[in-house]
């Protein structure tokens, strides 16, 4: 089991002021990867019943700008947030229910970072989204 990160230390190390709202939003993102703002708001309202949607949105913006949270937006979906940052992983999305899961990038050689034409850019990340049907939806679909 991976130990829980010291969220206050993560905030301080990123040069951010430690506030209860930021701590709760960051904890919610760690506990619920790929959740959208509305879902995170519901989680944060458990310990902070009066927190506003705008306060959660603002905290997500600050955390994303600081590199503590990554925002992803699969086509046709609202923005979702995850705490897995600093690596070049990708995502797989179910076309039926919209569930999102992480997919690790190629190990060793990283062909996804070698563009046919880079136009002079120093490429450091590639965003790949795989689409398909998750096992739960596939099991519900008659053969």
């Amino acid at each position: 089991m991976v130990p829980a990160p010291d969220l206050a230390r993560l905030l301080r190390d990123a040069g951010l002021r430690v506030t209860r709202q930021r701590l709760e939003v960051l904890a919610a993102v760690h506990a619920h990867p790929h959740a959208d703002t509305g879902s995170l708001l519901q989680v944060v309202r458990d310990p902070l019943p009066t927190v506003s949607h705008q306060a959660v949105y603002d905290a997500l913006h600050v955390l994303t700008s600081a590199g503590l949270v990554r925002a992803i937006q699969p086509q046709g979906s609202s923005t979702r947030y995850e705490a897995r940052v600093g690596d070049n992983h990708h995502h797989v999305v179910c076309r039926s229910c919209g569930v999102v899961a992480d997919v690790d990038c190629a190990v060793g050689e990283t062909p996804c970072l070698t563009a046919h034409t880079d136009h002079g850019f120093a490429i450091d990340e590639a965003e790949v989204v795989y689409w398909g049907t998750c096992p739960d939806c596939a099991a519900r679909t008659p053969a």
Side-chain angles (χ1 to χ4, degrees):
M1 184 171 182
V2 177
D6 179 348
L7 301 180
R9 176 168 299 282
L10 288 175
L11 290 170
R12 282 191 291 276
D13 288 350
L16 298 176
R17 197 177 75 223
V18 177
T19 66
R20 179 82 192 270
Q21 289 175 346
R22 288 178 183 167
L23 284 170
E24 294 298 342
V25 170
L26 190 54
V29 173
H30 274 268
H32 303 279
H34 310 124
D36 62 15
T37 308
S39 300
L40 293 169
L41 174 64
Q42 291 176 350
V43 172
V44 172
R45 280 195 173 153
D46 188 35
L48 297 174
T50 60
V51 72
S52 69
H53 189 177
Q54 187 63 47
V56 170
Y57 179 81
D58 290 346
L60 287 167
H61 177 75
V62 167
L63 295 170
T64 301
S65 295
L68 297 177
V69 167
R70 180 178 175 192
I72 63 168
Q73 190 171 10
Q75 183 179 353
S77 175
S78 59
T79 303
R80 296 165 181 242
Y81 299 89
E82 64 181 350
R84 185 176 172 184
V85 297
D87 68 352
N88 192 40
H89 74 278
H90 308 301
H91 298 94
V92 60
V93 181
C94 179
R95 290 187 188 278
S96 183
C97 70
V99 70
V100 178
D102 291 332
V103 177
D104 289 331
C105 189
V107 177
E109 180 187 348
T110 53
C112 57
L113 291 181
T114 306
H116 177 67
T117 304
D118 64 15
H119 301 281
F121 284 68
I123 297 173
D124 61 15
E125 182 177 0
E127 186 172 313
V128 176
V129 178
Y130 300 95
W131 293 88
T133 305
C134 72
D136 290 341
C137 290
R140 287 193 293 269
T141 304

